[in-house]
Amino acid sequence: MSDRNPKLVQELSSLIENLIGRLDFGTVELTFHQGQLVQLEKREKVRFDQPANPNR
């Protein structure tokens, strides 16, 4: 990602803000190859207040 394309930078910033804003537990990972963003991954965990009962 570079400052040569400010529209792209703004779009990616907005996308990342939206992903982070809705994330309670998890990660957002950006992958770069030779200075270029090639992949964006979001992994979200769902947590429960009480452990599940395996006998049910």
Side-chain angles (χ1 to χ4, degrees):
M1 198 163 61
S2 94
D3 294 330
R4 290 177 275 173
N5 192 341
K7 185 178 179 183
L8 177 61
V9 171
Q10 180 60 40
E11 288 177 15
L12 288 172
S13 295
S14 179
L15 176 62
I16 292 167
E17 285 178 15
N18 287 337
L19 288 174
I20 293 171
R22 296 188 311 235
L23 189 64
D24 289 326
F25 298 97
T27 60
V28 174
E29 181 178 314
L30 307 176
T31 303
F32 291 84
H33 287 216
Q34 297 179 343
Q36 297 291 317
L37 179 65
V38 295
Q39 183 172 320
L40 189 147
E41 260 183 68
K42 174 184 171 186
R43 281 183 235 116
E44 188 166 1
K45 297 181 181 192
V46 178
R47 298 194 176 179
F48 302 98
D49 290 336
Q50 298 179 12
N53 187 345
N55 296 328
R56 289 186 180 182

